[in-house]
């Protein structure tokens, strides 16, 4: 795959590469938060991984598996025969080729000049869009022009529900039906969660075509046949709608009613036609993103701007803004990876984007956490604790923990490796709390806090208070956990976990104090029995052991880390794909080495930057950065932002470029096969805005401390702060801040000085 | 696809054709009655349909589906990279190519001289066998020789359980494990019938290879990497065993024990190695088929001999001779078509082969019917009848009816067409009875009859007696049925059904009379309350209406057929694929036309040839043959044998050739995609031996009346008759019969004269 960055709006593949199908499907994925549609081609290839995912429709195949987002029917496939020759780029000659995803319009466009094995030449153009306006619509347009002779064309297309999640079929086959010998409709119903998916599609040809209708198992399709004169362009349009019984609008409909309304909606969309659907959707992209919150950079490396648009594009399509019962999966909706489950990635890596760019979406994401408190309480209870213990992997609101129990093969035992994160990676509960607090600090949204936020903070504090273990030293410890550095498991006194658990307790205590006398608080106090626990919180918060820094300032990542053996990590530091260390060592062996997947202490320092001294930050940076393999796509942004803080500007920019390349780059052609890396994409934005742009929440204060990389002339971005929309124009020497809303002043600290931004502010930096 | 018949032992494909993958997979399918393995290639292609089916392991995906033979894990796949180039015949240049299935040895061999896209040249040979001796073993051998330069080769292979039945996943994922970092084992368990499948495999390289072990969802595999010098041949062997908890030997094992014994067996087979496994299996082919019961023809058309071997080969691999709880599916084990279900095809089309060639297998097949009486009784009861009503489609012994309820799209309504066969195609109950009786007549196996056979005959008679409906004419009718001609449904007084129902009752009456005084009969009488029903049988048998011939001798196929409208059928008579009439008419419309899918009356005349006069036979032949579209692969053999009887020798041979081409021919490249046509293959043998060879059971008498086609010089075949193995050498003018067993004399009618064959008999014909 080659990416042509000559147009910084367009992600472009310039050469057909049958070994990179999965990557392109994922990074060029279309979507709108309701659905994610992998950009598989109309014609099929070995190695492709077709995928369509609808937010929040989790299903569990059987009791041995955890629930996952089911891979729904495929509507893209078109079997095309041109003068009897099957259209496939594996045959014949590709004279010209490009595939482009235009972030501005959200349109995917493929252009091919193809000579078939029989020497006939054709121009083929495939257009596709998932509407950002009507969340249920997928529109396709295909133009085919025979160049060298008249053409007889046969096209077979419809709705194919034979698709599985890597072999697991999540759907029962439902009704299939043709209406008016034209519209095709297929219903599939999830086997366990019992959600109906109604697919309706309409195919139209610009020339009269003979039509033969057909059904197969889990499949409805039509075969169209027509003739087209040389140099005449045949246009095929296929408009498809998807509705499910989980859609809020369909909750009270019978299946018959749902099918009928779906057919009506399809007819309306089909009447609009492809071009109009695209136009309406592109306008929505302008409204929501490109006119309102674009991040713009003047860089000597044009890929930087492209990468920032790539990030904003994917952040937009991965967020189920329409429904607070859903959240963002670790792969968005761009693949089966991580089963569509929701991780701490949301709060730590993607949420900041939404807090500053689309606060209402951020609120939705945290409302999801509130709505999933029943599952979190169930999890705590099941583990013998109190309060809310958020699941490491989250799906249905009531499910609680859905982390699978086993992973890949252990090279020593030959058995699958147990996955312990769901059992002991418990920092997720403070991560959620941190997300809620961040949202509150940036927005001041009291309504959210009263309805949802405080309850999360109190109930996680209750969990932590019950989770602490008294040690022989008289202090309270947290033993047997996994920190963000997942190389280490079953460890005691993880710095990240302990610091944040203490912070969570302190936060609950301070809100308990603050909220005395409020009516809603009385209810909450009553519900969660807060008063009865308050004193214990105070006592416990004082007695929590947090790893303190050595004389040189280095904070032990956990109780044993600094005593583990050291090893030359060069080989793995230079890896082009993740996990290469597992080719040489098994998990138990890695547990005994001073090596980090990502560095707990550095992330801690980034998220709690007012809790550590400059000397401590420097010492830990110098210690942990060399020991970190970045074997998680999550760590690059953390390290880039910190590198910038540390004045290691060149490394900061290098890590930014690496973060951009996680998905867009061509070093590893398969790491995105199962979907894009949502956290890394959130990280791209974080590096630009929180890192180089230097906009940060420090404690409860907003601070601006920009430092652009050498390659950048300027950076412009927008941020919503406490209800005001601010525009930031940053150069190497100055920052220009404009309060666009102007209904309230915003306080910002720049270079140690507090500014109040009512209208415009220009300051050197 | 091209078939090269220059060697009449070898089915050969001479050109790689990516549009004919499914056909080759099916017609070159390997197997042994325990399993059927579609001959998919090691490398993957779009359009392939990989399949492995284990006899009798039916599973039901959900309540909307009927049970089917699940498509088990794929062990054939090998992802091969040669000097970094992915091996695929869709790329590069195929310099030489052949794929051959050798019926003599049961070995599949593929030879390719391939120039990769990077211009490097390789010789690749793929060998494969499913052992006929150890029913659990699949062996593969691959030789790869780099021709133009040294080679770095990477091979990824293992066990892939992501396979589904056209989207329906029948398995839960079970344990996966490497033993000794070498042997791979994967367990999959059917979701509803709870059968464990244990796959164990061992891959060995003739050169030292770096090995990386890996697991994925529903998948265990290893990646091997090695270097091979130019012109040196690398040999890869992969030996795989499959065991299930349904195997008789494993019934009392825990899963752990099953896994352990499977590993031991794999080790033993792997120690043997490919060549030895092949040798042992080929010897078994000699023993069971080619040395003992070959059908040999001297024909001017070499394809005739090939087709007869094709038939014997497939009949051997489709018969689960090892277990009487299983039977033959309509596609054998060569594809997902008809879900592995058992139809009347067994008794009417395949059973005769086994009765004469392998009577113990024939007995097994009918024991299956006995064992499935509980399901048949359940079905009768559910429909408000008595006795045993055999299911139209049969699977598990206790299931009863498993015919799906809906099929393809109705072109008029746009809805799926209801499938009524399971409800009203009731002649299956006499077909089973006819099979039992045929087996008894040919073998004289009293033990079988006393244990199983009589009970089937009596209980089907009980069903028929309860099924008859009194008409206004005072006679007993059978209304609302489907006969063998499935174009017509909901018809009354179907000739085939009514004649056979009467016959079934008469047979029960005669055995009731005959068996008086036998101890086992008393038990049976007691169990089925026969004495209480005997008088009613006699009365009812007299009063059954059977359609009588018109003055011209034509027997009405049913009550209304002869009054339906006539239509020019030329277009459909000349069709190269089945079902083309459905493109123009829907089922209701076809119901109103004098057109037969297959002709009920002609099949009736063939099976009951002593019940009709020569004049009747001729009249019906002349009437129905032109009105029959042969839109079922079942009808060609019936019509060919009858054409021979009628003296229409040229048509008889034409229909033989057409029957051979149903699977082997190249007119329709997709009709075998879902599996071979088992009944048609039984029919190939029937045309040769029962038709041209003229060996027939007429009533309870054996008769020989050969008439070879012009193209044939001679025909040699073997038949077991009443415990004696006879060899028949037939020419155009003589028949030479040898009793090889010689322990008893066999009575045969030839040209109206009864001969007693004690040793040798030569007679002109």
């Amino acid at each position: 795959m080659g990416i042509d960055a000559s147009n910084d709006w367009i992600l472009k593949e310039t050469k057909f590469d049958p070994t990179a199908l999965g990557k392109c499907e994922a990074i060029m994925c279309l979507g709108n938060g309701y659905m994610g549609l992998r950009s598989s081609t109309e014609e099929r290839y070995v190695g492709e991984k077709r995928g369509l995912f609808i937010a929040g429709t989790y299903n569990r195949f059987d009791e041995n598996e955890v629930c996952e987002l089911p891979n729904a029917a495929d509507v893209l496939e078109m079997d095309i025969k041109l003068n009897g020759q099957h259209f496939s780029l594996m045959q014949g000659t590709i004279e010209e080729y490009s595939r482009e995803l235009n972030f501005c319009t959200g349109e995917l466009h493929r252009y091919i000049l193809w000579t078939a094995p029989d020497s006939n030449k054709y121009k083929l153009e495939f257009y596709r869009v998932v509407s950002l306006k009507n969340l249920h619509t997928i529109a396709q347009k295909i133009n085919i022009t025979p160049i060298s002779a008249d053409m007889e064309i046969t096209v077979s297309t419809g709705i194919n529900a034979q698709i599985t999640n890597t072999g697991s079929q999540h759907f029962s086959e439902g009704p299939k039906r043709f209406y008016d010998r034209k519209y095709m409709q297929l219903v599939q119903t999830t086997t366990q969660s019992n959600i109906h998916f109604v697919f309706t599609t309409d195919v139209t040809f610009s020339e009269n075509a003979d039509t033969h209708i057909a059904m197969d198992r889990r499949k409805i399709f039509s075969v169209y046949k027509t003739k087209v004169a040389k140099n005449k362009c045949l246009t095929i349009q296929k408009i498809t709608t998807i509705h499910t019984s989980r859609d809020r609008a369909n909750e009270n409909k019978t299946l018959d009613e749902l099918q009928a309304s779906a057919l009506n909606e399809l007819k309306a969309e089909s009447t609009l036609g492809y071009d109009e659907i695209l136009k309406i959707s592109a306008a929505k992209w302008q409204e929501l993103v490109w006119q309102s919150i674009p991040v713009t950079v003047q860089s000597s490396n044009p890929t930087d701007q492209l990468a920032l648009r790539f990030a904003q594009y994917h952040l937009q399509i991965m967020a189920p803004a329409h429904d607070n019962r859903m959240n963002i999966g670790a792969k968005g909706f761009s693949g089966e990876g991580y089963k569509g489950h929701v991780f701490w990635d949301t709060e730590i890596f993607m949420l900041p984007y939404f807090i500053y760019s689309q606060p209402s979406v951020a609120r939705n994401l945290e409302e999801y956490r509130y709505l999933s408190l029943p599952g979190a309480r169930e999890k705590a209870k099941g583990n013998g604790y109190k309060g809310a213990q958020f699941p490491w992997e989250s799906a249905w609101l009531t499910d609680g923990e859905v982390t699978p129990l086993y992973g890949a093969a252990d090279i020593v035992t030959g058995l699958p490796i147990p996955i312990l994160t769901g059992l002991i990676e418990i920092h997720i509960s403070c991560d959620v709390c941190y997300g809620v607090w961040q949202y509150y600090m940036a927005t001041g949204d009291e309504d959210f806090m009263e309805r949802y936020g405080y309850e999360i903070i109190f109930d996680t504090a209750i969990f932590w208070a019950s989770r602490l273990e008294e040690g022989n030293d008289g202090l309270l410890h947290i033993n047997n956990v996994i920190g963000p550095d997942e190389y280490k498991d079953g460890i005691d006194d993880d710095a990240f976990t302990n610091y944040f658990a203490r912070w969570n307790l302190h936060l609950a205590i301070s809100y308990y104090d603050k909220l005395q006398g409020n009516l809603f608080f009385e209810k909450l106090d009553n519900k969660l029995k807060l008063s009865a626990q308050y004193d214990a919180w105070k006592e416990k918060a004082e007695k929590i052991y947090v790893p303190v820094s050595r004389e040189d300032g280095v904070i032990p990542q956990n109780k044993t880390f600094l005593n583990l053996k050291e090893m030359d990590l060069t080989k793995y530091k230079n890896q082009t794909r993740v996990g290469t260390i597992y080719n040489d060592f098994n998990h138990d062996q890695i547990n005994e080495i001073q090596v980090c997947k990502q560095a707990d202490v550095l992330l801690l320092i980034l998220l709690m930057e007012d809790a550590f001294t400059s000397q401590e930050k420097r010492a830990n940076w110098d210690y942990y950065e060399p020991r970190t393999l970045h074997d998680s796509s999550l760590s690059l942004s953390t390290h880039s932002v910190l590198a910038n803080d540390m004045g290691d500007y060149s490394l900061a920019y290098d890590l930014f470029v690496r973060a951009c390349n996680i998905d867009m780059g061509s070093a590893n052609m398969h790491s995105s096969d199962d979907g894009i890396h949502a956290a890394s994409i959130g990280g791209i934005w974080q590096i630009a805005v929180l890192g180089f742009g230097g906009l940060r929440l420090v404690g409860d204060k907003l601070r601006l401390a920009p430092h652009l990389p050498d390659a950048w002339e300027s950076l412009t971005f927008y941020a919503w702060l406490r209800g005001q929309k601010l525009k930031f124009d940053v150069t190497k020497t100055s920052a220009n801040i404009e309060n666009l809303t102007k209904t309230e002043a915003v306080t910002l600290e720049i270079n140690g000085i507090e500014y109040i931004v009512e209208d415009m502010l220009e300051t050197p930096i």
Side-chain angles (χ1 to χ4, degrees), chain A:
Chain A
M1 193 179 63
I3 287 170
D4 168 10
S6 62
N7 181 332
D8 56 21
W9 279 106
I10 290 177
L11 185 64
K12 186 169 180 175
E13 185 194 44
T14 53
K15 188 171 174 296
F16 173 69
D17 180 355
T19 67
L21 297 169
K23 184 184 183 81
C24 269
E25 286 168 349
I27 68 171
M28 294 190 174
C29 176
L30 305 183
N32 54 24
Y34 173 83
M35 70 169 101
L37 177 67
R38 283 170 70 88
S39 289
S40 309
T41 55
E42 282 71 9
E43 70 282 8
R44 302 198 62 173
Y45 296 101
V46 169
E48 66 178 9
K49 192 91 185 75
R50 307 181 90 82
L52 170 66
F53 305 93
I54 311 295
T57 58
Y58 298 99
N59 187 68
R60 193 172 181 183
F61 176 78
D62 67 14
E63 295 200 350
N64 302 317
E65 298 191 7
V66 295
C67 73
E68 69 185 321
L69 268 195
N71 197 348
D74 178 56
V75 300
L76 299 178
E77 184 181 352
M78 286 197 187
D79 190 70
I80 300 171
K81 267 192 199 144
L82 304 170
N83 290 321
Q85 300 273 327
H86 198 81
F87 170 63
S88 165
L89 297 178
M90 298 297 285
Q91 295 183 299
T93 310
I94 305 169
E95 314 284 354
E96 297 174 19
Y97 177 91
S98 70
R99 176 154 56 159
E100 303 183 344
L101 174 59
N102 186 329
F103 297 130
C104 184
T105 59
E107 184 182 43
L108 185 75
H109 172 220
R110 193 158 59 112
Y111 160 77
I112 300 149
L113 189 64
W114 185 62
T115 302
D118 66 0
S119 299
N120 277 317
K121 192 172 285 197
Y122 305 91
K123 187 171 88 174
L124 300 104
E125 294 202 86
F126 299 87
Y127 301 86
R128 191 186 297 168
V129 68
V130 168
S131 175
L132 193 61
K133 172 74 178 178
N134 183 337
L135 302 181
H136 303 274
T137 302
I138 299 171
Q140 292 171 269
K141 182 172 83 173
I142 294 103
N143 288 337
I144 305 178
T145 312
I147 304 288
S148 50
D150 293 353
M151 158 176 91
E152 187 179 85
I153 179 171
T154 308
V155 175
S156 172
T157 193
I159 305 160
N160 177 0
Q162 294 175 359
I163 303 294
T164 66
N165 287 61
T166 328
S168 288
Q169 176 57 264
H170 285 291
F171 295 95
S172 288
E173 188 178 1
K176 294 174 287 201
R177 169 138 199 206
F178 288 93
Y179 297 92
D180 310 336
R181 291 192 72 160
K182 177 171 167 57
Y183 306 108
M184 302 180 240
Q185 192 173 72
L186 177 147
V187 180
Q188 49 176 186
T189 305
T190 57
T191 53
Q192 167 262 333
S193 52
N194 202 33
I195 303 170
H196 300 301
F197 285 49
V198 180
F199 287 79
T200 320
T201 194
D202 183 26
V203 181
T204 52
F205 275 63
S206 61
E207 304 288 317
N208 273 336
D210 276 352
T211 307
H212 171 64
I213 66 170
M215 290 179 193
D216 208 340
R217 187 174 190 179
R218 297 175 180 271
K219 203 171 174 181
I220 183 169
F221 61 107
S222 299
V223 183
Y224 307 87
K225 210 176 244 185
T226 191
K227 287 181 179 172
V228 182
K230 181 176 161 182
N231 288 325
K232 192 170 176 193
C233 175
L234 171 73
T235 298
I236 306 166
Q237 288 198 43
K238 184 174 183 183
I239 312 296
T240 305
T241 57
I242 299 131
H243 296 83
T244 86
S245 58
R246 185 147 165 79
D247 302 347
R248 290 229 186 259
N250 300 326
E251 280 175 330
N252 297 316
K253 284 184 188 148
T254 65
L255 179 55
D256 280 350
E257 289 164 352
L258 179 54
Q259 287 183 257
S261 65
L263 178 63
N264 284 337
E265 186 161 330
L266 182 271
K267 284 178 180 173
E269 288 293 291
S270 186
T271 304
L272 284 179
Y274 179 86
D275 293 340
E276 194 62 21
I277 290 169
L278 172 65
K279 199 172 131 194
I280 293 168
S281 177
K284 194 75 186 173
W285 273 104
Q286 287 299 318
E287 178 196 331
L288 291 184
V289 184
W290 307 125
Q291 284 198 345
S292 56
I293 48 165
V295 181
T296 316
V297 63
Q298 276 192 291
S299 170
S300 58
N301 177 4
T303 311
D304 293 348
Q305 178 65 71
L306 185 68
L308 286 165
R309 289 187 175 136
F310 173 80
Q312 286 200 280
Y313 170 85
H314 276 287
L315 287 160
Q316 183 66 36
I317 69 170
M318 72 174 69
H322 62 293
D323 197 325
N324 66 358
R325 300 167 304 169
M326 297 152 194
N327 208 297
I328 304 175
K331 300 285 184 184
F333 302 113
S334 69
E336 288 177 14
Y338 294 112
K339 301 176 184 299
H341 290 174
V342 181
F343 292 71
W344 72 317
D345 305 37
T346 292
E347 277 77 10
I348 307 301
F349 298 92
M350 289 89 84
L351 187 67
Y353 173 77
F354 295 104
I355 287 177
Y356 294 115
S357 310
Q358 298 178 334
S360 67
V361 176
R363 177 170 166 152
N364 252 4
L365 294 172
E366 294 313 285
E367 284 180 15
Y368 167 87
R369 295 297 193 183
Y370 175 82
L371 295 174
S372 60
L373 275 173
R377 287 175 180 138
E378 205 56 47
K379 180 174 175 183
K381 205 171 157 189
N383 290 336
Y385 305 119
K386 290 176 181 159
Q389 181 180 15
F390 279 94
W392 179 246
E393 299 189 20
S394 181
W396 278 108
L397 300 170
T398 50
D399 270 349
E401 188 57 63
V402 292
T403 303
L405 293 175
Y406 293 98
D410 185 313
I411 56 158
V412 174
T413 65
L415 288 163
I417 301 170
I419 298 176
L420 300 175
T421 51
L423 303 170
I424 60 174
E425 190 155 356
I426 61 174
H427 63 81
I428 175 74
S429 292
C430 13
D431 305 332
V432 170
C433 188
Y434 184 78
V436 166
W437 177 73
Q438 270 214 311
Y439 170 77
Y440 181 36
M441 289 301 102
T443 62
D445 184 349
E446 284 295 345
D447 177 71
F448 167 81
M449 290 303 288
E450 292 184 11
R451 288 170 191 263
Y452 314 113
Y454 291 125
E455 187 164 341
I456 292 175
I457 290 166
F458 288 130
D459 223 13
T460 47
I462 294 172
F463 163 69
W464 288 114
S466 75
R467 177 62 180 80
L468 295 166
E469 303 162 59
E470 190 153 341
N472 295 330
D473 54 5
L475 296 178
L476 296 171
H477 298 264
I478 305 177
N479 296 323
N480 190 29
V481 303
I482 299 175
D485 171 17
E486 294 175 344
Y487 279 170
K488 303 285 172 287
D489 62 32
I491 53 150
D492 300 339
D493 289 329
D494 169 59
F496 186 92
T497 308
N498 288 24
Y499 268 97
F500 263 107
R502 185 175 67 174
W503 170 85
N504 197 341
L505 274 174
H506 278 305
L507 194 67
I509 292 164
S510 70
Y511 285 139
Y512 181 94
D513 295 341
K514 182 186 97 170
L515 298 173
Q516 290 303 320
N518 280 303
L519 196 66
F520 77 87
F521 177 74
E522 273 177 40
K523 280 190 191 159
L524 205 52
D525 188 2
N526 208 32
K527 180 176 175 185
L528 302 180
K529 312 273 175 287
L530 300 178
S531 307
Q533 300 169 80
Y534 178 75
D535 290 340
W537 287 354
K538 286 196 107 163
E539 196 187 330
K540 287 184 172 180
E542 291 312 304
K543 285 172 68 184
I544 293 184
Y545 167 80
V546 292
V548 287
S549 46
R550 303 192 302 204
E551 259 182 36
D552 62 359
V554 173
I555 298 166
Q557 174 173 310
N558 57 52
K559 200 170 168 182
T560 55
F561 188 90
L562 298 179
N563 302 322
L564 300 180
K565 70 170 173 236
E566 305 253 12
M567 201 180 74
D568 178 9
L569 299 168
T570 318
K571 177 179 170 190
Y572 312 110
K573 279 290 263 188
N574 296 332
Q575 68 187 359
T576 55
R577 52 191 311 162
V578 296
T580 56
I581 195 170
Y582 281 103
N583 297 343
D584 298 325
F585 300 97
N586 79 354
H587 195 74
D588 289 345
Q589 293 165 329
I590 296 169
N591 232 341
E592 302 302 322
I593 305 167
Q594 283 203 34
V595 59
C596 304
K597 189 174 174 187
Q598 57 182 310
D600 287 26
V601 173
L602 297 184
L603 181 61
L604 173 66
I605 285 173
L606 177 63
L607 298 183
M608 284 193 183
E609 61 172 295
D610 54 345
F612 302 95
T613 66
S614 300
Q615 187 266 343
E616 279 177 319
K617 288 177 187 173
R618 166 62 58 192
N620 284 284
W621 172 257
D622 291 343
Y623 192 84
Y624 287 107
E625 209 314 298
R627 288 168 176 79
T628 303
L629 297 189
H630 301 298
D631 221 2
S632 159
S633 63
L634 279 56
S635 75
L636 295 169
S637 64
T638 304
H639 286 241
S640 173
V641 173
L642 275 182
N644 217 42
D645 287 0
M646 296 294 147
D648 202 343
Y649 302 123
S650 156
L651 179 63
Y653 184 68
D654 284 354
L655 290 170
F656 170 73
V657 171
R658 276 181 71 183
C660 297
N661 283 334
I662 290 267
D663 287 304
M664 278 176 48
S666 48
N668 186 330
M669 297 309 285
H670 290 288
S671 59
S672 303
D673 283 0
D674 291 338
I676 50 83
H677 299 74
S680 166
I681 286 172
I684 293 173
W685 178 89
Q686 287 201 34
I687 298 171
V689 173
L690 310 189
F692 303 138
L695 180 70
R696 216 83 67 80
L697 263 176
V698 184
D700 59 356
K701 290 196 165 50
L702 289 162
R703 191 202 61 195
L704 189 75
H707 189 283
L708 300 191
D710 283 352
W712 291 14
E713 278 300 304
S714 69
L715 168 72
T716 303
F717 59 90
Y718 296 80
W720 284 92
L721 293 170
R722 315 261 156 97
Q724 307 296 298
K725 185 174 176 186
L726 273 67
K727 181 181 180 191
F728 296 82
D729 285 299
V730 176
T731 68
K732 286 203 172 69
T733 55
S734 70
N736 210 323
I737 305 153
E738 185 182 357
N739 183 342
L740 300 171
T741 313
K742 296 190 185 68
T743 55
E744 225 172 284
V746 176
T747 306
L748 257 182
E749 189 202 287
I750 307 174
N751 296 333
I753 303 165
E754 274 202 354
Y755 292 89
I756 293 173
V757 187
E758 285 181 39
D759 184 0
M760 296 277 282
L761 171 74
E762 187 168 355
T763 171
I765 50 166

